[in-house]
Amino acid sequence: MSNRSLIDELTQALQCLPSVGPKSAQRMVYHLLDKNRNGALKLSDVLARAVTEIGHCQQCRTFTEEDLCSICSNQKRNDNGAICIVEMPVDVVAIEQTALFSGTYFVLMGHLSPLDGVGPEQLGLNLLEQQMQKGNINEVILATNPTVEGEATAYYIAEMARKYEIQVSRIAHGVPVGGELEFVDSTTLSHSFTGRSFL
Amino acid sequence: MSNRSLIDELTQALQCLPSVGPKSAQRMVYHLLDKNRNGALKLSDVLARAVTEIGHCQQCRTFTEEDLCSICSNQKRNDNGAICIVEMPVDVVAIEQTALFSGTYFVLMGHLSPLDGVGPEQLGLNLLEQQMQKGNINEVILATNPTVEGEATAYYIAEMARKYEIQVSRIAHGVPVGGELEFVDSTTLSHSFTGRSFL
């Protein structure tokens, strides 16, 4: 193979991307070299800038290159008084796409997991508590993932909110729209029963 | 969504990679920012270097950062006298992995396709002809893809080789090892019949 060094180096480096193995990395290398060198240069530049410039929002901890993210720096959304707790920045994107929520977010960047040494401090819950103390939050919406750790984290934050007499709610879990009952696991189904709404 | 600008820019830039769409690009962005910033920096650096430093081998036209690729600069392989014609550099990698061929390669970087304005010049066939004229080639092995364009290109090069009374061979096409006859298309099957070897 021509040029073991650099082509192999790139094939190796590309495997830092999720779900990219040696084969697809090789395909990418030859595709870029053959068809899209400008795209590769642009990617290289944006990658470097993103990694160095993007930090965490001082209020909600999501990814941003400024001190405050576009949502936290929006006064209208702060006045709304509702704060939605999610695990990852990508969850913010998902909820924003529904265009249903007009409050602010708090991104835990993970969930409580004592075995991995992830406690309240790692999730920045002290920062969240400070915001609760300020008293301009009137509802905490828990949108952590419906996993054991996610539920535990939600429970912990719910307790914290009650201390400050803030209303707490958990997003509904149930049969996904368009899903068919026969294919829904029993846990989800039981959730959708206990969480049924009366018409 | 926090930081429309830079995160979106990166999501856009990542889509220059083959079979990477908006969704998987977004996944890559958050994975890199959250879990592997060093990997991203390294990738950015290697990408830039590869795109700027990697050119074409002056003898076989494959990708290399030197004037001659590792194969062409190997005297033993030049002395072998056999030259294998392939369409893309990745084909060289594939054949090298068989460890069966000890001659040199010539990479066309495509195939004859007049409608797309790809003629003998674009494939560097004049360069190939010069090597034939030198008279140190005793066999031309045609390993272009078994497509209409690939066959046409192979035919063109075969004619060229005959002018210099160089032996020409075409790699065998037939039932892939491990493949089952019932699933093999008729064209391949007819190839494997005409190309049968007598025991």
Side-chain angles (χ1 to χ4, degrees):
Chain A
M1 162 178 187
S2 74
N3 181 25
R4 265 222 151 307
S5 59
L6 204 41
I7 285 188
D8 280 11
E9 232 181 292
L10 183 53
T11 317
Q12 197 59 49
L14 277 165
Q15 292 176 49
C16 73
L17 297 170
S19 66
V20 171
K23 264 286 167 198
S24 39
Q26 190 191 57
R27 231 180 95 240
M28 290 174 171
V29 170
Y30 285 105
H31 173 88
L32 290 177
L33 287 175
D34 185 35
K35 297 198 176 58
N36 198 348
R37 291 192 179 224
N38 293 339
L41 271 181
K42 168 100 175 126
L43 173 57
S44 157
D45 163 57
V46 181
L47 253 181
R49 269 172 45 227
V51 171
T52 45
E53 291 175 24
I54 294 180
H56 292 282
C57 170
Q58 291 174 357
Q59 185 177 322
C60 73
R61 302 184 78 224
T62 191
F63 291 127
T64 175
E65 60 201 304
E66 283 92 25
D67 299 345
L68 285 180
C69 69
S70 55
I71 295 175
C72 292
S73 51
N74 177 340
Q75 194 50 44
K76 267 215 194 72
R77 301 197 64 147
N78 283 297
D79 297 343
N80 176 284
I83 186 166
C84 178
I85 317 290
V86 296
E87 289 187 18
M88 302 304 293
V90 68
D91 301 333
V92 176
V93 183
I95 298 178
E96 279 301 288
Q97 278 165 355
T98 68
L100 259 175
F101 181 65
S102 54
T104 56
Y105 294 91
F106 188 84
V107 182
L108 302 167
M109 299 301 295
H111 43 56
L112 287 175
S113 170
L115 290 178
D116 309 322
V118 180
E121 316 70 41
Q122 284 70 29
L123 301 183
L125 292 186
N126 45 1
L127 183 65
L128 178 59
E129 190 154 15
Q130 285 165 22
Q131 295 183 31
M132 290 181 176
Q133 280 166 337
K134 286 204 200 111
N136 45 17
I137 299 178
N138 52 40
E139 181 181 6
V140 171
I141 302 172
L142 299 165
T144 54
N145 294 330
T147 59
V148 179
E149 297 88 352
E151 295 293 353
T153 313
Y155 180 81
Y156 185 97
I157 297 172
E159 287 304 304
M160 186 193 283
R162 286 205 189 80
K163 269 199 303 185
Y164 302 95
E165 286 141 354
I166 300 172
Q167 187 184 28
V168 184
S169 63
R170 180 93 170 100
I171 56 166
H173 298 126
V175 182
V177 179
E180 296 181 26
L181 284 189
E182 67 173 304
F183 301 123
V184 174
D185 62 287
S186 55
T187 326
T188 307
L189 207 48
S190 58
H191 266 296
S192 69
F193 261 86
T194 50
R196 68 190 180 281
S197 53
F198 297 94
L199 310 170
Chain B
M1 163 178 184
S2 74
N3 181 26
R4 265 220 152 308
S5 58
L6 204 41
I7 285 188
D8 279 11
E9 231 181 296
L10 183 53
T11 316
Q12 198 58 49
L14 277 165
Q15 293 177 47
C16 74
L17 298 170
S19 67
V20 171
K23 265 284 167 200
S24 39
Q26 191 191 57
R27 231 181 95 240
M28 290 174 171
V29 171
Y30 286 106
H31 173 87
L32 291 176
L33 287 174
D34 186 35
K35 297 199 176 57
N36 198 350
R37 290 191 179 227
N38 294 338
L41 271 181
K42 168 101 176 121
L43 173 57
S44 157
D45 164 56
V46 181
L47 252 181
R49 269 173 43 228
V51 171
T52 45
E53 292 174 24
I54 294 180
H56 292 281
C57 170
Q58 291 175 356
Q59 185 178 321
C60 73
R61 302 183 79 223
T62 191
F63 291 127
T64 175
E65 61 202 302
E66 282 92 28
D67 298 345
L68 284 181
C69 70
S70 54
I71 295 175
C72 291
S73 51
N74 177 339
Q75 195 49 46
K76 266 215 197 72
R77 301 197 63 148
N78 283 297
D79 297 342
N80 176 282
I83 186 166
C84 179
I85 316 290
V86 296
E87 289 187 19
M88 303 304 293
V90 68
D91 301 334
V92 175
V93 182
I95 297 177
E96 280 300 289
Q97 277 164 358
T98 68
L100 259 174
F101 181 65
S102 53
T104 55
Y105 294 90
F106 188 84
V107 182
L108 302 168
M109 301 300 297
H111 43 55
L112 286 176
S113 170
L115 290 180
D116 309 322
V118 180
E121 314 72 39
Q122 284 71 30
L123 301 182
L125 293 186
N126 44 1
L127 184 64
L128 179 60
E129 190 155 15
Q130 285 166 21
Q131 294 182 33
M132 290 181 176
Q133 280 165 338
K134 285 200 200 117
N136 46 17
I137 299 178
N138 53 39
E139 182 181 5
V140 170
I141 302 171
L142 299 166
T144 53
N145 295 329
T147 59
V148 179
E149 297 88 350
E151 295 293 353
T153 314
Y155 180 80
Y156 186 97
I157 297 172
E159 287 305 303
M160 185 194 285
R162 287 208 187 79
K163 267 199 304 187
Y164 301 95
E165 285 142 356
I166 299 172
Q167 187 185 28
V168 184
S169 65
R170 180 92 171 101
I171 57 167
H173 299 125
V175 183
V177 178
E180 296 181 27
L181 285 189
E182 68 174 301
F183 301 123
V184 174
D185 62 287
S186 55
T187 326
T188 307
L189 207 48
S190 59
H191 266 295
S192 67
F193 261 85
T194 49
R196 68 190 180 281
S197 53
F198 297 93
L199 308 171

